[in-house]
Amino acid sequence: MSPDTAVAAAPAAVEVFAEEPRRGRVRTFLRRHPSIVLGGAILALMVAIAILAPYLWTTDPQALAPRLRVRPPSAEFWFGTDMLGRDIYSRVLYGTRVSLIVGFSVALLASLAGLAIGLISGFIRLADGIIMRVMDGLMSIPPILLAIALMAATRGSVENVIIAITIAEIPRVSRLVRGVVLSLREQPYVEAAIAAGTTTPRIIIRHILPNTLAPLTVQATYICASAMITEAILSFIGAGTPPIIPSWGNIMAEGRALWQVAPYIVFFPAVFLSLTVLSVNLLGDGLRDALDPRMAKRV
Amino acid sequence: MLAYVVRRVLATIPVMLVVAFVVFSMLMLAPGDPAAVIAGDQATPQDVERIRQALGLDRPFFVQFADFLWRLVHLDLGTSIFTNLPVTHMIAQRIEPTLALMVLTIVLAVSVAVPLGVVAAWKAGSWIDRGVMLFAVFGFSVPVFVVGYLLAYFVALEWELLPVQGYTPLSQGFLPFLENLILPAIALGTVYIALIARITRATMLEVLAQDYIRTARAKGLGTRPILFLHALKNAAVPISTVVGIGIALLIGGAVVTESVFAIPGLGRLTVDAILRRDYPVIQGVVLLFSFVYVLINLLIDLLYTLFDPRIRY
Amino acid sequence: MRRRDFLGATVAGAAALAAPAVHGQASAARVLRIVPQANLTSLDPIWTTATITRTHAYLVYDTLVGMDSSFQPRPQMAEGWTIEDDGKVYTFTLREGLRFHNGEAVTARDVVASIKRWWARDGFGQEIAKRHASLVALDDRRLRLTLQKPFALTLKALGKANASPCFVMPESVANTDPHTQITSAIGSGPYRFVREEWNPGSRVVYARFEGYVPRQEPTDWTAGAKLANAERMEWHIIPDPATAGAALQSGEVDFWEIPLHDLLPVLRRNRNIEVVVRDPIGSVGMLRFNHLVPPFDNPALRRALMLAVDQENYLRAVVGDDPGMYATSYSFWSRGSPMHTEEGSEPLRVKSLERARAALREAGYAGQRVVQLHASDFPTLAALSQVTADLLRRLEINLEFVATDWGTVVQRRASREPIERGGWNIFHTTWSGPDWFDPASTLAMRANGTGAWFGWPTSERMEALREQWFEAPNQAEQKRIATEIQREAFRVVPHIPLGHFLSPSAHRRNVTGVIKSPIVLFYNMGKSA
């Protein structure tokens, strides 16, 4: 669900951000990019919640208490209880872990795989044709649908959800990297390096990677946001993480039947999910502005 | 020009082949045995084996794939495991609501998002601009089913303005048809509006900075003709590209939206099929959606030449 | 006043245009819109035991023998019967004027073929099959069943209303291999299946069959008159309970077969909606073991787990806080059955994790993996299953929780392989009360090893007692034997009974003729304008 498929995929981010902000400029940098501060702060809070979940007055998020089911928020159950009497507060807090793990893992795996494929495709002409046909094919299956179809073919587990969403995201990253590689190869200094007999790995490390990193980071944040939403959607329609795992999508899926009588079951995970995705999106927007002034002007 | 069109059309063939291959191998990877499902509650292993042979599931992978393609060319998507009906028949029954929902959402989204984006670009930095951008970020962050349930809860249940669920075919009157689709279209359209508004704003910013706009302004042309005649016309290519690519978002969202609003379309069919592991149906729907998606983007590509005479091939 | 009506009145005069409007309203009143409990996926009531298919079949097909509210067999398609030769020869005569939906007359040959297909699959039917000498059509309207020795339950079997009743189909359809699904839906019942409008997963449509001649007696479950009071019946399949509830509240549908219990208070508050307990016996929940694979092939472990089970936890997970909606039942027979008894049920009343832990240790449980199958798409089953998962976790049992859909559970529970090769140890399901009525109807109480229902328990004693039960001369003797079977069952533990819960229906107030019965019957229902 990256908002900038079209823009980010274009090899725009080429002449790069040579001057990194010096340490003294950190404060100015942050002031100039409030969305990084806001997004980063919310995200840091979520990470803290995920790590500290057991110490934040939570109980066992899986413990059932059918005699205390569907209780509204109270002093005892801060976010209420669900249809099996589980404490929603604890489930939502532990759910942060699932959402962040899925988001971060997919962003990382899709970036690495996309980087590898994009590099191969950009440097090995022979492979390029085949790889790009395959990527075109994968890209013409709408990502959520592809993830759904992959989940239908396997068993519901967090690992499988990560793999399914990653596969659905790889083509876009590969295209991005390939675009950067192809346009850099045209650059006189890279051409010169090639002519001078510099080995390919060296060219990749010296010239390609530094220039890919910025657009890739921006893309990765969007993939992270998109993966968290996709995970929720998968769980919501029953094709995601197994119901025993307290993920936000699962809590909402179980609560949606009671939307009318117990809206809090859906409300709290929905707020946490939206907030987390928002923070990652803000971070992405901010990073893009900061890392690529040319793109920033555009979007 | 014609050569380009032919080349571009031919290029979709390998793409569709890859799609077909991915979709086909999905069935092969899947756990569980379709033959066992078909055989039913109290079947013996012999029954299952008989059915497996009847379905040709005991043949080598590539033989089965070739057979799959052959049937595909003849518009045969197989038979649903659970209803025993041809998948094409089930898709045909479900296609109208989804098509209607998609078209309505695209019309709604484009007619809301493009003006929003244009105004935001024109008043760049103003509160309108900030508002549009804020809406865009939120649009990307709130999942479609949350928007859907919020709308259903307030607009339909609390205020009783529109029906909560269901679908009325167009043949039973335009108004009832629209009444049922308007909430789903808004829910589904939120992300899409955010996407188009953002791209419109970005492209417009770029276009508005161009020399000829400055010239037009200097000539004393009014705001409206500049924005909507000159600038928007030149921004049309990137905007329509995103409209086309964004349809992937709509397709994914439709699956969820149709479940929330009980619309008997292809999305609901997909969700039901997934819960029941009805692979032929899943394959059929994924193939169809992908085909439509490729086709739309192909058309948009070809339409560029109309939008932008500078593009030559 | 609607704008359309207003325009009509002013422009062309009220009389001329009022007529179609009135007609429109009347026809809306004759269409009954039902949200059934599940999607109709199979049209063959003999091939599958799915309740929704049986509900479909009771609209479309008729039965030779019906069952009344005192569980007695009564003639339905049969005008009557004679029993001769000390109960060995049954001669049935069909009513006059019976027709299939394709216009052809129902003949005795159709009935014979239908019975033969039925008794190839149905467990109770098989009891007749193995005792029969011949089953023939004497002429168009008479058929004769000859037994090798008397079987007192013959009529009860033919009139059974729980899983796989003996529905009558045209001979050509009934000749289909019993293991192959039929796709036809031509019966002689009060409603006709409208195939053109069938949209699987969304809509099923039935139209009144004008050629149906109901019996003269008042409606009494599947006996007596079957009336097609609604001209047209539409099933709207809405898997999301929240959406279904909203549709009922806004009047977009008329009848919701099984509303989610938690939504009942909201529905009761609505003046236009009535919540009815259609089935006073309710459903029973079951935790089923696989008796073929370790660790629960060990009866001591099954008994140990039973010590930890607290039925109330399961029941409240399903129905919530309303005590009127559930009842514990420490019995392998359902409440409401003359066989129901709680004798021998002490282990199920212990409800102690401590005792269970001790018993598990004693039985030699040493951390073996346990595979539990879980269906996420049925709220009731999901609740039962999650309570067990929680219990196993607290008992520190090494649990692998396999969450899928019901369709996959149905498929996987058929596997007798060890768990390393796709097998399983535990799954949950529910039955309607009559499915646990007595040894004849209770599929899950067979204990003939691989011939038994999924889980395949083995107990020679249970099987021997079951044979005795069929031959019992009277109900007192039947009850004595059923009690013996139960005592043995508490030792063998084929499954753990989880108690009874009611599943009320909700409908708009103008819906009439709802049949109160443990079998879901949609005929007779209509709508007042």
Side-chain angles (χ1 to χ4, degrees):
Chain A
M1 214 165 289
S2 66
D4 301 280
T5 327
V7 180
V14 177
E15 339 94 62
V16 182
F17 338 90
E19 0 131 33
E20 274 185 25
R22 266 180 263 137
R23 283 189 187 278
R25 291 197 194 155
V26 166
R27 198 175 290 175
T28 344
F29 173 82
L30 290 180
R31 199 179 305 137
R32 226 187 274 155
H33 301 286
S35 54
I36 292 188
V37 178
L38 188 61
I42 301 176
L43 190 62
L45 181 69
M46 290 297 168
V47 172
I49 287 177
I51 295 170
L52 299 176
Y55 311 103
L56 297 172
W57 305 277
T58 53
T59 60
D60 180 353
Q62 295 185 20
L64 263 51
R67 288 170 158 97
L68 292 168
R69 67 197 287 286
V70 198
R71 297 285 186 269
S74 64
E76 193 184 353
F77 306 108
W78 293 350
F79 291 180
T81 66
D82 72 1
M83 292 174 82
L84 294 167
R86 292 171 296 201
D87 180 37
I88 297 172
Y89 172 75
S90 308
R91 286 178 75 70
V92 168
L93 257 57
Y94 277 93
T96 316
R97 291 183 170 182
V98 181
S99 213
L100 290 182
I101 286 173
V102 171
F104 292 165
S105 313
V106 170
L108 188 71
L109 292 176
S111 301
L112 289 178
L115 185 66
I117 295 173
L119 285 176
I120 294 172
S121 187
F123 277 99
I124 307 172
R125 277 285 138 104
L126 212 65
D128 187 39
I130 299 168
I131 290 179
M132 280 301 122
R133 286 295 84 72
V134 173
M135 291 299 141
D136 282 348
L138 281 178
M139 254 166 97
S140 43
I141 305 175
I144 293 184
L145 213 57
L146 181 56
I148 288 176
L150 289 170
M151 285 312 294
T154 59
R155 215 157 61 71
S157 74
V158 178
E159 295 80 26
N160 285 342
V161 168
I162 291 174
I163 294 170
I165 306 178
T166 303
I167 293 178
E169 296 283 359
I170 284 176
R172 266 150 277 265
V173 188
S174 317
R175 291 214 127 201
L176 173 78
V177 176
R178 174 178 173 269
V180 175
V181 172
L182 289 187
S183 63
L184 279 173
R185 281 177 61 125
E186 310 280 302
Q187 297 290 319
Y189 65 95
V190 180
E191 276 181 350
I194 295 174
T198 320
T199 57
T200 308
R202 232 189 148 76
I203 292 179
I204 290 177
I205 292 169
R206 276 269 180 83
H207 304 290
I208 309 288
L209 276 188
N211 288 323
T212 319
L213 213 58
L216 199 58
T217 311
V218 174
Q219 184 74 4
T221 54
Y222 292 135
I223 289 177
C224 175
S226 147
M228 291 193 289
I229 288 196
T230 307
E231 185 274 322
I233 287 180
L234 288 177
S235 298
F236 188 74
I237 64 173
T241 49
I244 209 161
I245 290 179
S247 82
W248 293 334
N250 278 338
I251 305 171
M252 287 189 274
E254 284 156 19
R256 70 176 170 151
L258 299 187
W259 175 245
Q260 246 190 91
V261 283
Y264 48 85
I265 304 180
V266 173
F267 176 79
F268 290 105
V271 167
F272 269 68
L273 174 64
S274 304
L275 211 60
T276 312
V277 175
L278 184 71
S279 73
V280 178
N281 274 333
L282 281 175
L283 201 63
D285 287 357
L287 281 177
R288 191 192 43 205
D289 292 357
L291 295 177
D292 179 3
R294 222 191 82 170
M295 248 159 81
K297 232 191 301 161
R298 300 188 56 190
V299 180
Chain B
M1 175 70 199
L2 188 69
Y4 171 76
V5 171
V6 171
R7 202 151 25 88
R8 188 67 184 74
V9 171
L10 286 180
T12 56
I13 293 175
V15 169
M16 286 315 294
L17 265 177
V18 171
V19 173
F21 184 77
V22 169
V23 167
F24 175 77
S25 35
M26 188 192 88
L27 176 76
M28 290 286 129
L29 293 174
D33 183 351
V37 180
I38 294 169
D41 276 6
Q42 291 151 357
T44 62
Q46 288 81 358
D47 290 334
V48 175
E49 191 48 43
R50 211 180 53 211
I51 291 168
R52 192 177 291 129
Q53 278 171 15
L55 292 177
L57 293 172
D58 51 346
R59 295 172 300 167
F61 182 88
F62 277 97
V63 176
Q64 289 193 53
F65 181 56
D67 183 52
F68 177 77
L69 284 180
W70 181 248
R71 286 188 291 120
L72 213 56
V73 174
H74 294 82
L75 295 181
D76 175 5
L77 292 173
T79 309
S80 155
I81 293 173
F82 277 91
T83 59
N84 265 321
L85 293 171
V87 173
T88 40
H89 175 77
M90 293 176 75
I91 287 179
Q93 275 183 325
R94 301 297 194 97
I95 205 157
E96 188 197 309
T98 305
L99 202 65
L101 177 63
M102 294 279 200
V103 171
L104 186 66
T105 309
I106 294 173
V107 170
L108 183 90
V110 170
S111 51
V112 170
V114 171
L116 274 183
V118 170
V119 172
W122 182 249
K123 304 269 182 197
S126 72
W127 63 268
I128 300 184
D129 184 24
R130 277 159 204 268
V132 170
M133 291 305 278
L134 199 66
F135 168 79
V137 182
F138 272 97
F140 284 123
S141 308
V142 183
V144 53
F145 48 87
V146 175
V147 182
Y149 275 118
L150 275 173
L151 286 172
Y153 187 74
F154 287 104
V155 182
L157 268 181
E158 288 291 303
W159 307 329
E160 297 182 355
L161 293 175
L162 290 167
V164 190
Q165 60 100 33
Y167 175 74
T168 315
L170 189 54
S171 57
Q172 291 177 26
F174 185 67
L175 213 65
F177 164 81
L178 205 61
E179 274 181 351
N180 265 311
L181 278 184
I182 197 79
L183 287 186
I186 296 174
L188 179 57
T190 311
V191 186
Y192 203 45
I193 292 174
L195 176 68
I196 300 174
R198 249 172 104 134
I199 284 302
T200 307
R201 175 183 174 274
T203 335
M204 285 297 284
L205 275 179
E206 210 164 72
V207 173
L208 288 174
Q210 306 273 323
D211 289 341
Y212 66 92
I213 297 286
R214 274 185 221 140
T215 318
R217 245 189 246 189
K219 279 199 311 196
L221 239 65
T223 310
R224 227 173 281 169
I226 289 179
L227 278 183
F228 288 94
L229 278 176
H230 295 266
L232 192 56
K233 201 175 144 204
N234 282 293
V237 170
I239 293 176
S240 49
T241 305
V242 167
V243 168
I245 289 171
I247 286 175
L249 283 183
L250 285 194
I251 292 171
V255 174
V256 179
T257 313
E258 288 182 10
S259 300
V260 171
F261 291 97
I263 296 171
L266 291 174
R268 264 279 304 283
L269 186 66
T270 315
V271 174
D272 291 350
I274 278 161
L275 287 175
R276 308 199 171 279
R277 302 287 194 269
D278 196 343
Y279 295 109
V281 175
I282 302 177
Q283 288 180 325
V285 177
V286 173
L287 278 172
L288 177 77
F289 272 134
S290 308
F291 180 69
V292 170
Y293 182 54
V294 169
L295 200 68
I296 291 176
N297 283 292
L298 173 69
L299 285 178
I300 290 177
D301 260 18
L302 296 179
L303 282 175
Y304 282 170
T305 43
L306 291 179
F307 276 124
D308 193 341
R310 280 172 307 182
I311 297 178
R312 290 266 179 270
Y313 303 97
Chain C
M1 186 186 247
R2 289 234 212 103
R3 193 164 48 175
R4 233 187 334 235
D5 302 343
F6 174 76
L7 282 177
T10 50
V11 176
L17 282 182
V22 168
H23 173 78
Q25 261 179 6
S27 73
R30 289 198 295 262
V31 179
L32 188 71
R33 295 157 305 174
I34 293 174
V35 181
Q37 56 168 286
N39 184 11
L40 180 68
T41 49
S42 168
L43 297 180
D44 190 341
I46 304 301
W47 179 85
T48 178
T49 53
T51 308
I52 188 72
T53 301
R54 187 184 22 165
T55 309
H56 153 84
Y58 267 118
L59 290 174
V60 171
Y61 300 105
D62 211 348
T63 55
L64 184 64
V65 181
M67 184 177 75
D68 70 11
S69 47
S70 51
F71 296 96
Q72 293 310 307
R74 296 274 174 251
Q76 181 49 263
M77 289 171 83
E79 195 172 74
W81 49 70
T82 58
I83 307 173
E84 292 154 304
D85 200 5
D86 296 330
K88 280 200 284 196
V89 179
Y90 289 74
T91 310
F92 299 87
T93 308
L94 297 180
R95 284 197 282 142
E96 267 184 271
L98 298 175
R99 290 202 169 274
F100 285 115
H101 301 157
N102 59 11
E104 285 171 20
V106 180
T107 68
R109 281 183 308 281
D110 298 310
V111 182
V112 167
S114 298
I115 294 177
K116 285 184 172 163
R117 184 163 190 266
W118 164 73
W119 76 21
R121 294 282 309 235
D122 180 69
F124 205 173
Q126 284 160 6
E127 295 299 325
I128 308 183
K130 75 183 184 203
R131 288 171 170 84
H132 93 287
S134 69
L135 172 64
V136 287
L138 299 177
D139 52 42
D140 273 1
R141 283 184 54 210
R142 290 187 307 143
L143 58 141
R144 174 167 294 162
L145 170 67
T146 313
L147 301 173
Q148 290 156 358
K149 56 176 185 171
F151 182 49
L153 300 170
T154 303
L155 291 170
K156 270 201 167 165
L158 286 170
K160 73 179 283 198
N162 61 322
S164 294
C166 181
F167 294 112
V168 173
M169 302 165 182
E171 189 182 9
S172 57
V173 178
N175 282 339
T176 311
D177 171 32
H179 291 279
T180 305
Q181 234 187 122
I182 60 162
T183 50
S184 143
I186 292 181
S188 60
Y191 280 94
R192 201 159 52 73
F193 177 66
V194 185
R195 186 174 291 275
E196 312 82 75
E197 295 187 55
W198 182 33
N199 188 343
S202 169
R203 189 71 50 98
V204 190
V205 177
Y206 302 90
R208 177 192 287 159
F209 174 45
E210 303 294 347
Y212 186 77
V213 184
R215 296 189 71 91
Q216 294 305 309
E217 304 93 325
T219 313
D220 190 2
W221 290 9
T222 65
K226 294 178 175 177
L227 303 173
N229 281 327
E231 192 169 276
R232 186 180 148 92
M233 192 177 286
E234 295 177 358
W235 290 8
H236 294 229
I237 288 131
I238 308 180
D240 179 18
T243 315
L248 184 67
Q249 283 167 275
S250 65
E252 290 163 41
V253 296
D254 304 305
F255 186 96
W256 186 8
E257 190 192 332
I258 305 186
L260 200 66
H261 283 92
D262 299 86
L263 294 178
L264 291 177
V266 184
L267 298 176
R268 283 205 185 91
R269 272 202 299 277
N270 188 314
R271 215 171 302 145
N272 297 315
I273 293 175
E274 196 176 334
V275 174
V276 288
V277 177
R278 195 179 32 71
D279 166 13
I281 298 174
S283 308
V284 280
M286 154 193 286
L287 183 168
R288 184 73 168 182
F289 293 107
N290 186 345
H291 296 244
L292 300 182
V293 302
F296 286 113
D297 58 339
N298 176 359
L301 274 184
R302 299 195 295 269
R303 285 194 293 269
L305 188 60
M306 183 145 63
L307 299 177
V309 165
D310 179 354
Q311 284 193 354
E312 198 166 339
N313 270 341
Y314 285 90
L315 294 167
R316 290 185 68 167
V318 174
V319 305
D321 299 338
D322 185 348
M325 285 291 139
Y326 65 90
T328 58
S329 170
Y330 305 111
S331 172
F332 284 90
W333 312 118
S334 68
R335 282 178 173 275
S337 157
M339 302 299 131
H340 184 264
T341 167
E342 297 196 338
E343 262 184 65
S345 67
E346 291 75 18
L348 202 45
R349 298 163 185 275
V350 174
K351 304 173 194 169
S352 159
L353 283 172
E354 303 310 313
R355 294 263 313 264
R357 260 188 216 114
L360 280 171
R361 261 197 310 277
E362 212 170 294
Y365 178 74
Q368 294 97 321
R369 191 153 62 103
V370 169
V371 173
Q372 181 186 338
L373 304 181
H374 169 89
S376 322
D377 51 341
F378 272 79
T380 306
L381 298 186
L384 294 177
S385 175
Q386 300 217 57
V387 176
T388 297
D390 186 54
L391 202 65
L392 295 177
R393 221 164 49 91
R394 288 179 203 224
L395 291 171
E396 283 142 42
I397 283 174
N398 175 9
L399 174 66
E400 186 188 330
F401 188 76
V402 181
T404 58
D405 60 301
W406 178 240
T408 308
V409 172
V410 164
Q411 191 186 329
R412 191 156 168 195
R413 72 179 181 185
S415 163
R416 293 171 192 165
E417 299 285 320
I419 51 175
E420 295 76 25
R421 286 206 301 265
W424 57 275
N425 295 114
I426 289 174
F427 77 92
H428 296 74
T429 189
T430 61
W431 302 77
S432 68
D435 289 330
W436 279 31
F437 229 63
D438 53 38
S441 55
T442 314
L443 211 53
M445 286 291 270
R446 291 305 299 270
N448 51 342
T450 51
W453 195 69
F454 309 102
W456 313 282
T458 303
S459 162
E460 275 170 29
R461 184 162 157 73
M462 277 174 74
E463 282 294 299
L465 285 166
R466 179 174 180 272
E467 284 302 312
Q468 284 177 33
W469 187 89
F470 279 113
E471 308 299 337
N474 54 48
Q475 191 166 305
E477 182 61 9
Q478 282 181 347
K479 171 98 185 218
R480 189 191 65 76
I481 300 169
T483 309
E484 276 311 298
I485 296 179
Q486 170 157 314
R487 284 184 186 286
E488 181 66 8
F490 271 110
R491 216 181 55 74
V492 176
V493 199
H495 51 265
I496 301 180
L498 301 177
H500 274 254
F501 55 91
L502 298 183
S503 304
S505 299
H507 59 77
R508 305 287 294 178
R509 283 223 181 264
N510 61 354
V511 172
T512 59
V514 178
I515 299 177
K516 298 201 172 167
S517 138
I519 316 128
V520 190
L521 300 169
F522 284 160
Y523 50 75
N524 271 40
M525 280 203 283
K527 254 160 92 179
S528 58

